[in-house]
Amino acid sequence: MSRRRKIYEGKAKTLYEGPEAGTLVQHFKDDATAFNGKKHEIVDGKGVLNNRISEFIFSKLNTLGVPTHFIRRLNMREQLIKEVEVIPLEVVVRNVAAGSIAKRLGLETGTRLPRSIIEFYYKDDALGDPLISEEHITAFGWASPQELDDIMSLGVRVNDFLTGLFAGVGIQLVDFKIECGRQFEGDMMRIVVADEISPDSCRLWDVKTRKKLDKDVFREDLGSLIDTYRDVAQRLGILTETENALTTGPRLVK
Ligand code: UDP
């Protein structure tokens, strides 16, 4: 056995060198963080669930012709992805006011926005990921105007897909965050959806009860995060009974 080369370690995921040139292995950890890392806990099984939920969503996006970095899932916690040049933006798409937009603009949480709104945040932990405009992005060269068009169009397509997917299982998609990267193939470059899409990066509310089914459960101490994510996975039809048992850890057998 030889040790794999670690390329990058983030708060919730680690990237390792992949088996072939141009690929990486994305490993989902159990770490839950919020408020720019100030709140941190280990939630047993979260990595397994996010790996499966993100696999499910990215596979469907690939099938629909929305380009992503995802190739295939390798095991419980890891997936094979295409190596991309990460664009240092968090692209947030919002349908309903919640979180930072509610605070910033004094909107009542739960208010439907006049239309879906795309926001950009500059990815920089030291600066606390500040909100930026398209002007900043093109002026500082983080993305070209053409790339920005592609990024916005990916945001809209992912929003359309996720809204329908979650509505079908009784969940309202309030907002979500994606990250994008440049994928190079020979002389060609295209912008693809990278990172992950999971309850860590979306706001999801139960349509009937308004119960929160996402990382706000951790941010606001609303209950068991793992039970919440398992509920989302089960509604999407991802987990079988047996697999469900695998994510719950050891149980006392009487
Ligand atoms: N989000 C994320 N990572 C971040 C910041 C936000 O995945 O570093 C997601 C968050 O879960 C929510 C959406 O982006 O679904 C909008 O987040 P918001 O700007 O309201 O920030 P927050 O309330 O999380 O501070």
Side-chain angles (χ1 to χ4, degrees):
M1 290 273 271
S2 61
R3 187 176 283 274
R4 282 188 295 186
R5 195 157 73 89
K6 195 189 278 185
I7 306 285
Y8 172 81
E9 179 150 12
K11 292 191 275 273
K13 294 184 298 293
T14 307
L15 292 179
Y16 295 98
E17 192 172 49
E20 294 147 38
T23 66
L24 295 174
V25 173
Q26 176 163 262
H27 177 106
F28 288 75
K29 303 193 285 185
D30 281 340
D31 298 64
T33 62
F35 314 117
N36 203 5
K38 285 190 216 46
K39 181 170 170 154
H40 178 213
E41 276 170 35
I42 301 293
V43 178
D44 277 342
K46 181 174 83 85
V48 173
L49 285 168
N50 278 356
N51 185 25
R52 292 298 294 268
I53 295 171
S54 204
E55 170 203 11
F56 180 82
I57 292 170
F58 275 79
S59 307
K60 289 222 179 324
L61 288 172
N62 282 343
T63 309
L64 289 169
V66 180
T68 82
H69 72 162
F70 179 82
I71 303 174
R72 68 189 151 85
R73 185 166 63 86
L74 295 170
N75 54 52
M76 298 265 283
R77 285 185 182 276
E78 295 179 333
Q79 40 185 253
L80 186 65
I81 58 170
K82 291 176 194 153
E83 186 170 23
V84 301
E85 187 177 282
V86 175
I87 297 170
L89 302 175
E90 303 213 325
V91 181
V92 169
V93 184
R94 302 181 182 272
N95 301 304
V96 170
S100 66
I101 197 176
K103 222 167 153 187
R104 192 182 324 116
L105 302 182
L107 302 172
E108 194 179 337
T109 299
T111 317
R112 175 153 282 285
L113 298 169
R115 60 172 173 80
S116 301
I117 293 175
I118 304 183
E119 290 177 342
F120 301 100
Y121 295 82
Y122 180 51
K123 258 179 87 74
D124 186 318
D125 280 346
L127 298 176
D129 298 342
L131 176 70
I132 51 170
S133 74
E134 294 175 48
E135 278 285 283
H136 297 97
I137 297 170
T138 51
F140 290 108
W142 295 320
S144 70
Q146 175 59 52
E147 288 175 334
L148 200 48
D149 277 355
D150 292 351
I151 292 169
M152 291 178 73
S153 134
L154 284 178
V156 170
R157 291 165 80 191
V158 173
N159 189 42
D160 288 345
F161 165 68
L162 288 181
T163 299
L165 174 76
F166 285 119
V169 296
I171 295 175
Q172 180 179 34
L173 177 68
V174 172
D175 58 34
F176 65 94
K177 184 259 312 182
I178 55 167
E179 294 182 26
C180 298
R182 298 182 188 92
Q183 190 219 327
F184 295 93
E185 237 174 73
D187 290 346
M188 305 296 282
M189 186 279 288
R190 62 173 178 173
I191 306 286
V192 303
V193 183
D195 195 54
E196 71 177 301
I197 300 178
S198 72
D200 268 7
S201 56
C202 300
R203 276 200 175 87
L204 306 169
W205 294 350
D206 185 279
V207 169
K208 281 207 196 96
T209 64
R210 318 307 292 157
K211 203 175 134 204
K212 293 181 179 179
L213 301 171
D214 56 62
K215 203 163 92 171
D216 276 348
V217 170
F218 172 73
R219 292 189 187 97
E220 300 166 18
D221 289 317
L222 298 177
S224 160
L225 191 70
I226 204 70
D227 287 348
T228 303
Y229 285 21
R230 200 179 295 120
D231 180 8
V232 173
Q234 268 166 350
R235 290 197 203 196
L236 292 173
I238 297 173
L239 291 183
T240 63
E241 290 273 317
T242 333
E243 286 175 321
N244 192 13
L246 285 173
T247 62
T248 57
R251 282 244 177 96
L252 187 63
V253 180
K254 290 195 187 142

